[in-house]
Amino acid sequence: MSLLSVSSPTLVPHQRLCDTAIYARLSRDRQRLSENVNIQIAECQAFADEQGWPVVGVFPDDDVSASKFSKKPRDQYELMLAAVRRGEINIILITEMPRLYRRMEELLDVIRLAETTKLRLLITTDGISYDLSTAEGIHAAINAVNNAMLESARTSKRIKRKQAVRAKQGKVHGGGRPYGYEADGLTIRESEAEVIREAAERFIIGESCRDLVCDFNARGIRTATGKLWRIENLQRTLLKKRYIGVREYDGQEYPAEWPAILTREQWEQMEARRLSRSHGWPKGKTGTRKYLLSGGLIYCGRCGGEMVGNGRTAESGRSAVLRYRCRRTDNHGNTIGCGKTFRIAAPVELLVKEAVLTAFDDPKIAVLLAPKGDEDQIRELVKTYEARKAKVDQLVTDYATGVLTREQFILAKQVAEAAIQEIRELLAQAQQQTALAQVPANQSIREAWDTAGLAWRQKIVGLVVEKVVIVPGGRPGSKTWRGFRFDPEFVRIEWKA
Ligand SMILES: [Zn+2]
């Protein structure tokens, strides 16, 4: 039995050590009772009076105004801990566990404090007490906080589940008016549906998207938002599964509640044509550009000029190779660089790729990518993250030096790691909010990298890299790196921020 009943005084050790601190907290969690701090304090005071415990301090905190991400410092909580450290407090009295702890690491602080101070009990006014001098009591306290954390995680999952249910019922996604339908997303707008059908039919028999777009724009046909059609725009529109009456969610297809405009057969014919890369589908930037760093990311370390992708064609005894080179003159014959620096593209790109992906593994990156205005919140999150990581290290030290027992250590470590994971998820969420990153759901940037197009990769590199400088020197062939004759020492990556 891990819980001690407060009403049974024989189970409270050291009866005379009853100096009690009342902690109250106005939390953001509005479903709970006794929201008002004064009510909480009164409840605790009555409870203490009943037990005949002297209340030596009352500590009310208000974190209602704290934002979603930031963990506003709990001033009164800190004052209370200071009193605990001074040996003034034996019992912390609260109305319920989540009042005291939203974060496991805070509980761990107190568990450690209990070992070196006169603090002994955490007690809630509903009569549950946690004896911090026993492994059972510690275990029970950890469980209680764990449960509170789980509950709050469930609440956010509930919202996701709702979205999934809507998708499975084929309900509209929301967002702007889809071309071919009214704003409700359900009613066909016949004039536009006719355009979709015409475009599909003409494309299937071999007309190019470019021709279609020219024709449509000339005939005064406009997009759903009243703009001129662009090639990519038409291509994307035509292949939307919405037009064959399919609601997509998380990679799954569900029958939509709106009527189709095209048949699945038409969709498949268009898709086949797109995949065969026949003329008409624009290759786009991804298909034509071969160089990750072209377009303002790579510079000559000798003259400072921008370098360009420059393939060397196969010649006798030499195979073709992609490389970057410093341009000496521009297309008009003006001198713009030294023209002396060359570097093979593949190892440079590999080096940059790995450095960038490693950078994205670092939670600090989230600050850089934060939407304008959210930077402070993200910075707070990162701080918390690092504090929690430090805490795990501290736990290891505490265990090694005998401050924690093995059981306490294992429990505490699990819990601290869960807390780290929690922050990781918040950071990942924040990161996904950046429109620029455009990482598919459930994928890390690292995972997305291999399947994404070059344009996306360039964008990702551009998010964190100011420029890559090719430093002159390093005799080719003198050093091998990843199977290339290449010396990474002579590439300098300059990071943003
Ligand atoms: Zn140069």
Side-chain angles (χ1 to χ4, degrees):
M1 185 58 202
S2 55
L3 302 185
L4 299 177
S5 163
V6 169
S7 53
S8 161
T10 54
L11 287 178
V12 179
H14 307 288
Q15 265 301 284
R16 285 174 305 154
L17 299 174
C18 296
D19 288 339
T20 301
I22 291 176
Y23 182 74
R25 183 160 152 251
L26 189 57
S27 82
R28 294 162 50 79
D29 194 349
R30 295 197 176 279
Q31 298 123 310
R32 295 191 177 277
L33 299 171
S34 56
E35 201 53 74
N36 188 307
V37 170
N38 290 328
I39 295 175
Q40 291 178 41
I41 293 172
E43 212 178 305
C44 291
Q45 185 69 59
F47 187 91
D49 291 347
E50 228 171 82
Q51 310 294 321
W53 296 340
V55 172
V56 298
V58 176
F59 304 91
D61 263 328
D62 168 5
D63 70 349
V64 159
S65 45
S67 78
K68 188 169 81 185
F69 291 124
S70 77
K71 310 289 172 286
K72 187 179 159 189
R74 293 156 64 178
D75 302 336
Q76 294 289 313
Y77 178 81
E78 291 301 329
L79 287 177
M80 180 175 70
L81 288 192
V84 170
R85 281 188 204 99
R86 290 194 302 267
E88 295 166 12
I89 291 168
N90 309 122
I91 297 170
I92 296 176
L93 180 58
I94 44 183
T95 55
E96 58 200 343
M97 208 52 167
R99 293 280 161 229
L100 193 54
Y101 301 112
R102 170 146 300 189
R103 311 278 148 209
M104 191 58 78
E105 56 180 8
E106 295 171 344
L107 175 63
L108 298 178
D109 282 341
V110 170
I111 290 173
R112 265 199 297 278
L113 266 183
E115 293 183 5
T116 53
T117 68
K118 291 178 183 164
L119 177 68
R120 189 153 305 276
L121 292 178
L122 300 179
I123 300 190
T124 65
T125 52
D126 46 12
I128 302 172
S129 79
Y130 305 92
D131 183 343
L132 299 184
S133 65
T134 67
E136 291 80 8
I138 289 170
H139 197 152
I142 286 174
N143 274 345
V145 174
N146 240 344
N147 288 341
M149 283 168 64
L150 266 180
E151 191 185 322
S152 108
R154 274 190 211 110
T155 312
S156 66
K157 274 190 183 140
R158 204 171 301 140
I159 296 167
K160 260 196 173 159
R161 223 177 293 132
K162 249 186 202 162
Q163 287 174 340
V165 167
R166 278 186 63 78
K168 284 172 192 168
Q169 290 169 343
K171 302 245 191 249
V172 290
H173 187 60
R177 181 178 75 81
Y179 190 80
Y181 295 84
E182 300 298 339
D184 62 6
L186 301 171
T187 316
I188 289 183
R189 183 178 286 195
E190 196 47 48
S191 58
E192 293 181 356
E194 208 39 62
V195 173
I196 298 274
R197 289 189 201 103
E198 178 188 333
E201 281 159 20
R202 288 172 63 180
F203 180 75
I204 287 168
I205 58 169
E207 280 192 61
S208 72
C209 266
R210 182 177 303 277
D211 294 343
L212 289 170
V213 162
C214 284
D215 182 30
F216 288 168
N217 285 338
R219 280 157 58 189
I221 294 167
R222 296 291 178 264
T223 66
T225 50
K227 299 203 173 88
L228 290 169
W229 283 97
R230 285 174 299 116
I231 298 169
E232 322 83 79
N233 195 356
L234 181 66
Q235 166 188 322
R236 225 185 16 251
T237 301
L238 277 181
L239 273 168
K240 276 189 183 154
K241 293 223 171 129
R242 154 172 269 282
Y243 295 114
I244 58 172
V246 163
R247 166 74 149 95
E248 284 179 294
Y249 180 79
D250 205 16
Q252 299 288 311
E253 293 188 4
Y254 303 98
E257 59 171 353
W258 57 83
I261 291 175
L262 302 175
T263 65
R264 184 173 281 272
E265 198 190 352
Q266 284 176 307
W267 186 89
E268 276 163 5
Q269 284 171 322
M270 288 192 289
E271 175 69 358
R273 217 192 127 183
R274 184 183 68 86
L275 291 176
S276 73
R277 294 173 166 271
S278 49
H279 331 288
W281 290 109
K283 289 200 186 77
K285 290 172 178 173
T286 49
T288 49
R289 271 198 250 166
K290 287 182 254 172
Y291 295 90
L292 179 66
L293 303 172
S294 64
L297 277 170
I298 187 163
Y299 293 84
C300 170
R302 193 189 307 262
C303 70
E306 191 185 332
M307 295 178 79
V308 294
N310 173 240
R312 188 184 74 191
T313 47
E315 290 168 29
S316 54
R318 297 196 312 187
S319 56
V321 63
L322 300 181
R323 57 183 189 170
Y324 292 101
R325 85 178 158 92
C326 176
R327 290 178 80 190
R328 202 171 60 80
T329 56
D330 67 11
N331 294 335
H332 309 288
N334 304 312
T335 303
I336 54 168
C338 67
K340 288 179 181 161
T341 308
F342 298 81
R343 201 61 46 92
I344 305 172
V348 175
E349 292 180 358
L350 184 61
L351 184 76
V352 170
K353 169 194 158 179
E354 290 186 351
V356 165
L357 291 182
T358 304
F360 274 95
D361 287 339
D362 182 340
K364 281 200 202 75
I365 204 76
V367 175
L368 196 59
L369 301 180
K372 286 273 167 286
D374 287 358
E375 293 100 328
D376 288 345
Q377 293 187 340
I378 304 286
R379 205 165 281 134
E380 270 308 309
L381 266 186
V382 170
K383 255 200 225 153
T384 313
Y385 174 84
E386 291 185 334
R388 288 183 182 186
K389 282 199 78 141
K391 189 127 305 179
V392 172
D393 297 340
Q394 180 62 43
L395 284 174
V396 175
T397 312
D398 285 355
Y399 176 51
T401 55
V403 175
L404 287 177
T405 66
R406 183 177 159 75
E407 188 188 11
Q408 288 167 346
F409 168 70
I410 290 170
L411 274 171
K413 188 158 177 290
Q414 271 173 7
V415 160
E417 279 166 354
I420 288 173
Q421 185 55 29
E422 177 194 41
I423 286 282
R424 266 202 170 286
E425 279 161 19
L426 281 174
L427 280 168
Q429 275 172 24
Q431 199 160 305
Q432 290 213 334
Q433 284 165 7
T434 64
L436 277 174
Q438 292 171 8
V439 183
N442 309 324
Q443 267 190 6
S444 67
I445 286 173
R446 191 176 282 277
E447 287 162 342
W449 184 275
D450 291 330
T451 49
L454 190 64
W456 182 89
R457 293 181 187 176
Q458 287 180 324
K459 210 186 257 177
I460 293 296
V461 173
L463 283 176
V464 290
V465 171
E466 187 64 45
K467 58 177 167 177
V468 176
V469 177
I470 300 301
V471 182
R475 278 171 296 123
S478 62
K479 191 160 180 183
T480 307
W481 183 81
R482 303 291 180 87
F484 294 98
R485 284 179 183 172
F486 174 75
D487 188 346
E489 289 293 306
F490 292 89
V491 174
R492 192 173 74 239
I493 300 176
E494 293 181 9
W495 302 92
K496 281 189 173 159

